[in-house]
Amino acid sequence: MKNIKIFALLAAFMLSSAASAQHQYVVNAKKLGAPVQPTMYGIFFEDINFGADGGLYAELVENRSFDFPQQLMGWSIFGNVAVGDANPAFERNPHYVTLSDPGHHDKFTGMENHGFFGMGLKRDMDYHFSVFARTDGTSRIRVELVDADNNPIGRKSIAISGHEWKKYTATLRSPKTDAKAFLRIYLESAASVDLDHVSLFPADSWNGLRRDLVNDLKDLHPGVFRFPGGCIVEGTTLAERYQWKNTVGPVENRPININRWNYGTFERMFPDY
């Protein structure tokens, strides 16, 4: 009997504690809250069909860090070019390319990047080129903007010095509008050079985004903005899901986010958009 009384008291105490932990909410249906548009619409953003890369994001170089599953996707190489990952510039994007002497005075070493089916240069627009590089001693590269007819329309030479990774920059101006223009890089010295995070941005970009598209989105006056969307959130595997912590910090060291949409396309290699 004593045990029954103790159990009854314990049960009563637990019920009393649960009741005191409950919260009450009073809803006044007659009081209006924030106004909501009767025809609410907004922006749904997902990295598909050039939504981000090749679209809203103003970067013109595809696979700038050589860390796609196929490290040289987006690049055409000639001469003596190799991919490496020893003592990288960025721990979470470890791959880079080494340009070395082609072995003959009539041969050249270099690479080309056509961006996302063409870089879409505009007449009289400046383009900011940057690259992280290192070499033993001194080296030199030449950076060119090339039109669709394979004619260089802008070029700059950049001197590289020292075995520590450093950022180098140059600005090139396009004298013409060309939707299918591309970027070409030559090795101009006998000494080899390591290159990583090769980047080209138009001077009129807004915080890294295409100014014209940002203005178009602003003019929609959206009521809501959804990001990220759809399958980019879940990923193909748990490890490849969208993780916001990987999208902050220095952009050079943000790991590649694998977009599962690109696995559904059979006529081209993943993830070539």
Side-chain angles (χ1 to χ4, degrees):
M1 181 63 69
K2 185 177 181 179
N3 289 340
I4 295 177
K5 289 182 178 179
I6 293 175
F7 177 78
L9 290 172
L10 181 60
F13 175 77
M14 294 177 65
L15 289 173
S16 175
S17 298
S20 63
Q22 291 179 352
H23 299 279
Q24 293 184 345
Y25 298 92
V26 177
V27 177
N28 186 351
K30 295 182 179 180
K31 183 179 179 180
L32 297 178
V36 177
Q37 294 175 299
T39 55
M40 173 63 75
Y41 67 92
I43 298 172
F44 169 75
F45 181 83
E46 186 167 4
D47 189 7
I48 183 174
N49 293 338
F50 303 105
D53 291 337
L56 188 59
Y57 191 42
E59 174 65 77
L60 295 175
V61 177
E62 180 185 354
N63 188 20
R64 60 187 176 185
S65 291
F66 310 100
D67 278 292
F68 279 16
Q70 296 82 31
Q71 278 85 35
L72 288 174
M73 178 170 284
W75 294 93
S76 299
I77 62 174
F78 50 91
N80 192 353
V81 181
V83 177
D85 60 3
N87 301 315
F90 310 105
E91 179 182 359
R92 297 199 292 179
N93 288 317
H95 295 97
Y96 56 85
V97 293
T98 300
L99 307 186
S100 301
D101 188 90
H104 193 280
H105 61 83
D106 286 333
K107 295 182 179 180
F108 301 94
T109 288
M111 53 188 185
E112 297 176 350
N113 192 292
H114 289 251
F116 303 91
F117 298 98
M119 289 193 167
L121 300 184
K122 298 179 181 178
R123 180 179 179 180
D124 296 330
M125 176 69 71
D126 285 338
Y127 291 88
H128 300 315
F129 173 86
S130 65
V131 64
F132 286 81
R134 67 180 177 185
T135 187
D136 289 328
T138 60
S139 184
R140 181 177 294 273
I141 60 173
R142 184 171 79 244
V143 182
E144 295 182 347
L145 299 179
V146 186
D147 68 15
D149 296 321
N150 203 35
N151 299 310
I153 56 176
R155 61 174 52 150
K156 287 285 182 70
S157 289
I158 301 175
I160 311 296
S161 62
H163 65 277
E164 299 291 336
W165 288 103
K166 290 183 289 186
K167 185 177 183 179
Y168 297 85
T169 62
T171 297
L172 300 94
R173 174 165 293 190
S174 175
K176 61 188 294 187
T177 296
D178 193 327
K180 297 298 182 181
F182 58 96
L183 176 72
R184 179 184 291 151
I185 301 174
Y186 280 105
L187 176 67
E188 286 193 318
S189 60
S192 300
V193 62
D194 296 336
L195 304 178
D196 196 1
H197 201 82
V198 181
S199 178
L200 187 69
F201 272 86
D204 69 343
S205 62
W206 180 80
N207 291 329
L209 304 179
R210 271 183 52 177
R211 181 174 295 273
D212 56 343
L213 294 182
V214 170
N215 284 330
D216 289 341
L217 295 176
K218 178 184 176 183
D219 290 342
L220 291 175
H221 302 291
V224 294
F225 178 79
R226 177 184 172 183
F227 171 82
C231 295
I232 194 174
V233 177
E234 61 194 72
T236 305
T237 66
L238 184 63
E240 295 172 354
R241 72 193 187 280
Y242 179 85
Q243 301 181 68
W244 70 266
K245 293 180 180 180
N246 290 335
T247 69
V248 296
V251 65
E252 301 87 2
N253 203 35
R254 298 176 193 172
I256 293 293
N257 179 67
I258 295 178
N259 187 342
R260 68 166 297 171
W261 275 113
N262 295 300
Y263 283 112
T265 305
F266 300 103
E267 72 273 11
R268 59 182 182 267
M269 292 180 66
F270 157 80
D272 205 16
Y273 302 91

